[in-house]
Amino acid sequence: MTHKTSNPSRRVFVKGVVATSLMASSALTLNATTKISQRKETEELSGSEFHLTIDKIQVNITGKPAFATAVNSMLSGPTLRWREGDEITINVTNNLSEDSSIHWHGIILPPHMDGVPGISFDGIKPGATFTYKFTVVQSGTFWYHSHSGFQEQTGIYGAIIIEPKEEILQYDREYVISLSDWSDEKPDSIYRKLKISADYYNFKQRTVGDFFDEVKELGFLEAFSQRKMWNEMAMTDRDLSDVTGYTYTYLMNGQNPATNFKALFKNKEKIRLRFINSSAMTFFDVRIPGLKMSVVASDGNYVQPVLVDEFRIGVAETYDVIVEPEENKAYSIFAQSLDRSGYALGTLTYDANVVATIPEMDPLPILSHADMGMNMSSMKEMPKKKEAAMKCGAGMDMSASEPKMDMSKPAIPITPLQERRGVQTTMRAMNPQYRLSDPGVGLRQSKRKVLTYADLKSLTPTTHDRYPHREIILRLTGNMERYMWSINGIAYKDAAPLEFKYGERLRITYINDTMMNHPMHLHGMWSDLETGDDNHLPKKHTIISQPGSKISFRVNVDARGSWAYHCHLLYHMAGMFRKVVVV
């Protein structure tokens, strides 16, 4: 069904429209040292030499004027189009009154060009220009963002498209779909509130009525027992996202849902959509009702096409999909937040004046015992009534969740790492399982075909890739109630660097002791995700570790120097961060 745009719908947490945002640039000088520019419309820049500025700009996203930091006064920043094999020069001038930086997410480059202050370089001082220079050795969809403070939250991010030497995909046109979360609140204020009360932004907590409903269904003792387990972990089954639509307005290409980003097509065209999750804290579930999506790339790397109705994209991940509208109509590009507190919205349409009916959001997801790190196999022996109460995914195929290990290969020795327990580690996954075929909380009961990590198979064979000769295990740890995050119970400020050996093939396993998803990003080297098919391990730069689960990947340690390694949730990063030294 389609309708004209004369009375566009609004979502729950949209507080306004981008009424004055896309105006011609005219600098507004407030005093001798503070220069605030008007927002420009996002544009694409191509070539091999670029000049970028980091500016403070005036925006109106929610109906109230606010300030953002942005690249070239654009929110999202300009899309940079490169070509594989080119040597790229990028001059970045910092017009802010504080240090800044640009990190090229997922780009393989020399360590001193990676853009992480304190590890790669000293950052870019106010008024200074830093020149990045490197050769592009890859192709695909990537993005860039600030790695200084909370500047990513306030708008310093943009898309990167790298054209391959030879494109193997066939399509007629393409669009970048950048998803992000915007708040008029200052990030420092958001973080302070989370430290005071971790559920400050969660307005969907349990009620007394929920407990009585469980008593009716499970009986008092079982209902009480389950509540006791959650309480001991200082969590509830509604702790889905730290920051929600209470303060966030979700954006698609910098536009709020009321503005409704438009992507035009002609009948019978193949459209490539390059999805990038540029948000600070938000996971999105993406679908285009009425259209199947063929997933053709993950984190910039080709994968064997997978036809799906929906996919979850974690913070910092990218997915490329191809869609083929068969008739002139409008389709919603619908990206609901994992916690269902709002959505980003766009329209794929043949006519900019025609938009699609906005889908209803799915019901509020409820975390399960699987998300607590319990063994799913034990459910088979439980009474049906209790099994249903766990809401652990009737549609899950657990047979594909455990990577199949080649028993002819030698066991991989584990290098022990320092670990601490204490007030900073109130959560512990007692029996974490691989959940590669689990689409995640909120999608397990879906009747739609949802992408999982088990579906991802690289297009290029990996049959003859080296087998890892050592393994390290990183436990993702925290105290939700006190909003403390760490790796192996040790926050970054107290942690020694991780040492990788140049030339080695390393296996890294995450055990997520927390009830939150963590998008883990290793800089400088690819992460070959172990999906159970050694012949087609997909390469990723960001791997989602689901709550209470285990997941592993392999790394060719082929880049000397110092690198960052961290959870990409912005307000987790200070604790859940490591410096990696390749020697």
Side-chain angles (χ1 to χ4, degrees):
M1 179 183 292
T2 60
H3 61 270
K4 295 288 183 180
T5 58
S6 57
N7 184 25
S9 298
R10 294 167 59 86
R11 67 175 175 85
V12 176
F13 289 104
V14 172
K15 293 119 181 146
V17 298
V18 188
T20 61
S21 58
L22 304 180
M23 301 171 63
S25 175
S26 59
L28 174 64
T29 303
L30 298 182
N31 56 50
T33 59
T34 304
K35 182 179 178 182
I36 299 174
S37 299
Q38 293 290 348
R39 181 179 176 184
K40 295 180 182 178
E41 189 170 2
T42 297
E43 60 184 32
E44 180 178 299
L45 306 176
S46 61
S48 58
E49 184 170 356
F50 300 86
H51 297 276
L52 304 180
T53 60
I54 300 174
D55 307 296
K56 190 172 185 178
I57 65 171
Q58 195 174 46
V59 298
N60 189 332
I61 290 172
T62 66
K64 296 188 299 184
F67 295 115
T69 54
V71 178
N72 287 15
S73 300
M74 302 174 193
L75 185 69
S76 306
T79 296
L80 306 181
R81 184 176 288 271
W82 304 342
R83 289 187 307 180
E84 183 181 6
D86 281 359
E87 184 174 271
I88 300 295
T89 301
I90 310 166
N91 299 298
V92 180
T93 300
N94 177 14
N95 291 328
L96 305 179
S97 57
E98 60 188 27
D99 287 12
S100 190
S101 59
I102 297 288
H103 162 62
W104 317 100
H105 189 106
I107 303 300
I108 302 300
L109 38 58
H112 59 288
M113 293 287 109
D114 197 40
V116 181
I119 292 181
S120 311
F121 71 149
D122 293 332
I124 309 173
K125 299 295 180 186
T129 297
F130 184 84
T131 299
Y132 296 85
K133 198 167 190 174
F134 51 88
T135 300
V136 179
V137 298
Q138 61 203 96
S139 65
T141 303
F142 300 91
W143 66 300
Y144 60 89
H145 59 84
S146 171
H147 226 295
S148 298
F150 295 138
Q151 292 173 0
E152 183 187 330
Q153 173 77 90
T154 55
I156 301 180
Y157 57 83
I160 299 171
I161 297 173
I162 307 177
E163 296 177 352
K165 292 179 178 176
E166 182 178 357
E167 180 59 83
I168 62 173
L169 300 176
Q170 294 184 343
Y171 53 92
D172 299 296
R173 69 172 75 194
E174 65 179 359
Y175 291 97
V176 167
I177 306 293
S178 171
L179 306 171
S180 59
D181 43 24
W182 168 265
S183 173
D184 284 345
E185 287 189 87
K186 294 181 179 178
D188 289 330
S189 175
I190 293 174
Y191 187 63
R192 179 178 56 81
K193 289 174 180 174
L194 289 171
K195 291 294 288 184
I196 294 172
S197 175
D199 59 357
Y200 182 90
Y201 294 102
N202 187 348
F203 284 74
K204 296 180 180 178
Q205 289 288 10
R206 292 177 54 81
T207 65
V208 174
D210 293 326
F211 178 72
F212 285 120
D213 288 342
E214 290 176 359
V215 170
K216 289 178 184 176
E217 186 175 3
L218 304 172
F220 179 82
L221 290 179
E222 180 61 28
F224 179 81
S225 174
Q226 291 196 17
R227 283 311 100 213
K228 182 172 179 289
M229 280 193 291
W230 288 101
N231 292 337
E232 286 173 349
M233 298 182 75
M235 296 283 294
T236 81
D237 55 10
R238 313 285 169 89
D239 285 328
L240 299 161
S241 301
D242 299 345
V243 191
T244 70
Y246 176 72
T247 188
Y248 277 155
T249 297
Y250 300 114
L251 308 181
M252 185 173 292
N253 290 343
Q255 298 184 32
N256 67 17
T259 308
N260 200 332
F261 165 77
K262 313 292 189 312
L264 297 176
F265 71 91
K266 294 180 180 177
N267 198 13
K268 306 288 187 184
E269 283 186 330
K270 286 187 176 181
I271 317 296
R272 180 177 186 173
L273 301 175
R274 299 174 182 266
F275 285 92
I276 303 169
N277 189 343
S278 311
S279 64
M281 292 292 289
T282 306
F283 280 49
F284 291 97
D285 295 333
V286 179
R287 56 191 160 103
I288 306 177
L291 285 181
K292 291 283 187 181
M293 297 182 285
S294 179
V295 179
V296 294
S298 170
D299 287 0
N301 295 289
Y302 294 126
V303 295
Q304 297 178 25
V306 186
L307 207 59
V308 301
D309 300 307
E310 187 167 16
F311 62 89
R312 173 164 291 172
I313 184 168
V315 173
E317 286 189 304
T318 75
Y319 283 108
D320 289 32
V321 308
I322 290 180
V323 296
E324 300 181 54
E326 294 183 351
E327 56 182 319
N328 280 337
K329 61 180 290 187
Y331 303 87
S332 276
I333 307 172
F334 187 69
Q336 58 182 338
S337 65
L338 184 153
D339 63 359
R340 310 299 185 243
S341 64
Y343 54 82
L345 180 68
T347 298
L348 184 63
T349 179
Y350 66 98
D351 182 336
N353 294 314
V354 179
V355 297
T357 300
I358 302 172
E360 293 290 327
M361 283 196 293
D362 289 335
L364 175 71
I366 305 296
L367 291 167
S368 70
H369 286 78
D371 300 305
M372 200 187 279
M374 292 179 64
N375 188 347
M376 296 284 290
S377 62
S378 63
M379 291 174 55
K380 296 176 181 177
E381 300 174 359
M382 290 184 139
K384 289 184 178 179
K385 193 175 183 182
K386 295 178 181 178
E387 182 178 335
M390 291 183 178
K391 301 178 176 64
C392 281
M396 290 173 59
D397 175 14
M398 297 306 296
S399 63
S401 288
E402 181 87 20
K404 297 179 179 64
M405 303 304 296
D406 186 344
M407 301 307 291
S408 66
K409 301 283 179 61
I412 304 172
I414 297 174
T415 302
L417 300 177
Q418 187 181 19
E419 186 176 353
R420 295 176 189 165
R421 299 292 303 276
V423 67
Q424 75 279 15
T425 56
T426 54
M427 298 169 276
R428 188 80 169 180
M430 301 309 294
N431 196 352
Q433 303 291 305
Y434 282 95
R435 299 216 304 268
L436 293 164
S437 57
D438 177 3
V441 63
L443 296 176
R444 294 168 183 151
Q445 308 292 349
S446 175
K447 295 180 180 178
R448 302 183 288 266
K449 165 61 180 173
V450 183
L451 182 76
T452 70
Y453 274 178
D455 295 322
L456 297 178
K457 296 180 183 295
S458 70
L459 204 58
T460 304
T462 57
T463 309
H464 301 296
D465 285 5
R466 289 184 299 154
Y467 198 66
H469 64 270
R470 77 176 178 113
E471 177 180 5
I472 61 172
I473 296 174
L474 301 177
R475 300 193 80 105
L476 310 180
T477 46
N479 177 331
M480 183 68 190
E481 194 172 31
R482 298 178 65 170
Y483 210 71
M484 301 168 70
W485 303 103
S486 56
I487 296 175
N488 286 350
I490 305 170
Y492 176 53
K493 63 181 177 59
D494 301 319
L498 291 172
E499 286 195 3
F500 294 179
K501 298 170 185 172
Y502 181 76
E504 71 174 340
R505 178 73 161 165
L506 178 65
R507 185 186 202 220
I508 300 177
T509 296
Y510 298 136
I511 294 177
N512 187 349
D513 281 330
T514 80
M515 303 291 289
M516 309 293 295
N517 286 284
H518 296 289
M520 300 298 295
H521 173 41
L522 172 62
H523 290 224
M525 292 159 273
W526 289 114
S527 301
D528 301 338
L529 179 64
E530 291 188 328
T531 58
D533 180 0
D534 279 5
N535 297 318
H536 297 282
L537 300 178
K539 289 185 181 302
K540 291 183 64 63
H541 50 60
T542 305
I543 289 180
I544 308 306
S545 179
Q546 293 196 38
S549 74
K550 176 193 294 186
I551 195 166
S552 56
F553 60 98
R554 304 170 187 178
V555 180
N556 277 334
V557 182
D558 54 5
R560 296 184 190 274
S562 297
W563 302 96
Y565 189 10
H566 58 89
C567 174
H568 221 283
L569 294 180
L570 191 61
Y571 302 114
H572 292 190
M573 201 180 298
M576 206 171 269
F577 193 105
R578 285 291 185 273
K579 178 180 180 179
V580 169
V581 178
V582 178
V583 295

